[in-house]
Amino acid sequence: MEHLLNPKVKSIEISGIRTFFNMVSDYENMISLTIGQPDFETPHHIKEAAKSAIDENRTTYTHNAGILELRKAAANFLQSKYNLTYRAENEIITTTGASQAIDVTLRTILTEESEVILPGPVYPGYEPIITLSGATPVHVDTTQHEFKMTRSLIESAITERTKCIILPSPSNPTGVALSKEELANIADLLRDKEIFVLSDEIYSELNFSDDHNSIAQFEGMREKTIVINGLSKSHAMTGWRVGFLFAPEEICKHILKVHQYNVSCASSISQYAALEALQNGLEDPVQMRKEYKDRMDYVYNRLVEMGLSPIKPDGAFYILPSIKQFGLSSFDFAMKLAKDGNLAVVPGSAFSHYGEGYVRISFAYKLDILKEGMDRLERFLNTL
């Protein structure tokens, strides 16, 4: 019966990140620097709030968009942190993680044969949804621009079919973030164009400069921008699956319909945990961010010493060094490193064809693990 399945579904692949992780997971004595998973525990007070929600039988459906108190807390968060104003009643949706927010957004705004511009290399979770929506992903090559989407790159890729531009900042897999000036230049280009912007800001609280900017802050951009955020990375809550979608009412009301038929609502228990995080845990990310910064500095300096010349990340917990000098494909390099060096990293080809020639290293691991991982990488490179 497989031949009767939706051909669009058959044409997409399981994430290259997970594919490679699964391939090497059974290797003995393996250090894996592959998955973007915080190694911190969810803060205690958040877990206690979830337990209380269970004990108080807050286990029923909520409003499709999430409990109003949580949406108000999310609105206050964006206003106080990033000077972005959204109405809790009709411009915010609580989603089952940022991934579901991306899914329902793209399925709402995209039409057959429309195009979506996104950076390359880029997180692999966007392209399959674009494809399933009948649209076409258009990657632009950022490798000569310090992995940053620029006004000129976007301008050169826009066609009459362009429907959306995706701006992840800070970015997975590169860790780079767009500055206020860079976003202003992009806003100047897009302000008068009928093109949506999906601004993926899930790593906003892990910006090492503590100066995150959103393109929705700029004049004329709020009306066409859908901001995605959440608590998975900032509060070490990946398994709780809580994300947020912020958009003008005339866009949000249609996304809500797709969200409703997709999941009805996010988990009620997770929502009450998220409420505690946003009301009493705004400082929770501070220590995590400091430790990620220390880990980034260590890994970056080690890679420079090895002669790999990586672009220094601005945030998140990834770095994408080039391995082109060794004459191997990113997949072959990563497989050889796993087999001969007992170190797992992600081939850059998992992040679009513009990732070829790079490997992604996650530094969401304790410093002693990173030290051993860098030692193994250095020994391996000395054999090539």
Side-chain angles (χ1 to χ4, degrees):
M1 300 295 284
E2 183 182 10
H3 67 285
L4 299 177
L5 298 178
N6 184 338
K8 289 188 176 71
V9 174
K10 292 198 289 182
S11 71
I12 64 176
E13 302 289 342
I14 297 293
S15 163
I17 304 171
R18 288 289 177 174
T19 298
F20 194 80
F21 172 80
N22 293 337
M23 287 176 63
V24 301
S25 60
D26 293 331
Y27 283 41
E28 292 185 8
N29 190 31
M30 178 67 67
I31 286 182
S32 178
L33 304 181
T34 55
I35 301 299
Q37 167 106 303
D39 67 335
F40 297 95
E41 294 182 351
T42 302
H44 179 74
H45 68 104
I46 296 174
K47 293 188 284 189
E48 289 301 310
K51 294 174 187 177
S52 295
I54 295 172
D55 291 340
E56 295 164 10
N57 295 312
R58 297 181 177 184
T59 55
T60 61
Y61 290 126
T62 70
H63 188 290
N64 291 130
I67 56 177
L68 182 58
E69 193 177 7
L70 175 57
R71 284 179 279 144
K72 287 180 177 179
N76 290 337
F77 172 79
L78 243 63
Q79 176 62 51
S80 63
K81 284 280 188 175
Y82 311 131
N83 197 30
L84 291 171
T85 302
Y86 290 91
R87 292 189 300 275
E89 293 77 12
N90 50 26
E91 294 188 321
I92 301 174
I93 301 173
T94 306
T95 60
T96 306
S99 296
Q100 195 242 337
I102 294 167
D103 176 40
V104 295
T105 294
L106 292 175
R107 287 200 287 143
T108 300
I109 67 177
L110 296 183
T111 54
E112 293 282 340
E113 299 183 356
S114 58
E115 294 177 348
V116 180
I117 298 172
L118 63 169
V122 70
Y123 167 66
Y126 307 115
E127 184 172 351
I129 304 169
I130 294 168
T131 301
L132 290 173
S133 300
T136 301
V138 178
H139 295 90
V140 297
D141 183 1
T142 66
T143 59
Q144 302 304 308
H145 300 267
E146 298 187 329
F147 296 132
K148 292 189 176 187
M149 287 275 269
T150 65
R151 173 180 175 145
S152 60
L153 286 175
I154 294 171
E155 191 168 20
S156 66
I158 290 176
T159 71
E160 61 183 13
R161 295 197 299 272
T162 302
K163 194 67 165 292
C164 177
I165 295 166
I166 295 178
L167 294 178
S169 180
S171 162
N172 175 7
T174 67
V176 302
L178 297 174
S179 69
K180 189 171 186 178
E181 182 180 0
E182 290 163 340
L183 287 169
N185 289 333
I186 295 172
D188 286 341
L189 169 67
L190 300 178
R191 185 170 293 113
D192 298 324
K193 298 185 185 300
E194 291 190 329
I195 297 174
F196 291 106
V197 176
L198 190 159
S199 186
D200 187 349
E201 303 178 27
I202 188 65
Y203 294 99
S204 63
E205 285 296 279
L206 300 183
N207 190 320
F208 300 140
S209 70
D210 198 23
D211 184 28
H212 174 75
N213 293 283
S214 171
I215 197 166
Q217 296 169 329
F218 295 89
E219 180 184 356
M221 293 306 298
R222 183 187 185 279
E223 295 82 352
K224 61 185 64 182
T225 300
I226 299 95
V227 175
I228 307 296
N229 213 314
L231 299 174
S232 290
K233 315 300 183 178
S234 62
H235 288 74
M237 294 178 66
T238 52
W240 297 83
R241 310 311 301 135
V242 179
F244 297 104
L245 184 156
F246 305 86
E249 179 184 3
E250 60 270 20
I251 299 173
C252 199
K253 67 182 181 182
H254 296 293
I255 297 177
L256 183 61
K257 291 184 287 187
V258 180
H259 168 75
Q260 173 201 343
Y261 290 116
N262 185 220
V263 297
S264 293
C265 63
S267 157
S268 62
I269 303 306
S270 294
Q271 287 190 58
Y272 283 103
L275 178 61
E276 172 67 18
L278 290 180
Q279 287 185 333
N280 300 308
L282 293 183
E283 297 304 309
D284 288 341
V286 173
Q287 184 59 35
M288 298 185 204
R289 180 170 61 239
K290 180 183 181 303
E291 292 202 31
Y292 287 135
K293 171 69 163 55
D294 291 343
R295 297 172 186 182
M296 181 276 292
D297 285 336
Y298 175 78
V299 171
Y300 172 78
N301 289 332
R302 286 294 303 273
L303 293 174
V304 170
E305 291 169 1
M306 295 178 209
L308 296 182
S309 303
I311 301 298
K312 193 169 189 176
D314 301 302
F317 32 65
Y318 311 105
I319 191 166
L320 195 76
S322 171
I323 46 89
K324 295 178 182 178
Q325 68 198 74
F326 301 107
L328 297 169
S329 71
S330 61
F331 182 85
D332 289 344
F333 179 95
M335 281 302 302
K336 188 173 178 61
L337 175 59
K339 290 178 179 178
D340 299 345
N342 293 106
L343 177 66
V345 298
V346 182
S349 54
F351 306 100
S352 85
H353 64 279
Y354 288 120
E356 183 53 67
Y358 300 86
V359 292
R360 191 192 75 173
I361 298 171
S362 169
F363 47 86
Y365 299 88
K366 296 288 189 292
L367 202 55
D368 58 337
I369 296 175
L370 294 174
K371 182 181 185 307
E372 177 61 25
M374 292 301 99
D375 288 346
R376 292 184 182 191
L377 177 59
E378 186 170 19
R379 288 195 295 267
F380 172 75
L381 295 182
N382 288 335
T383 69
L384 296 180

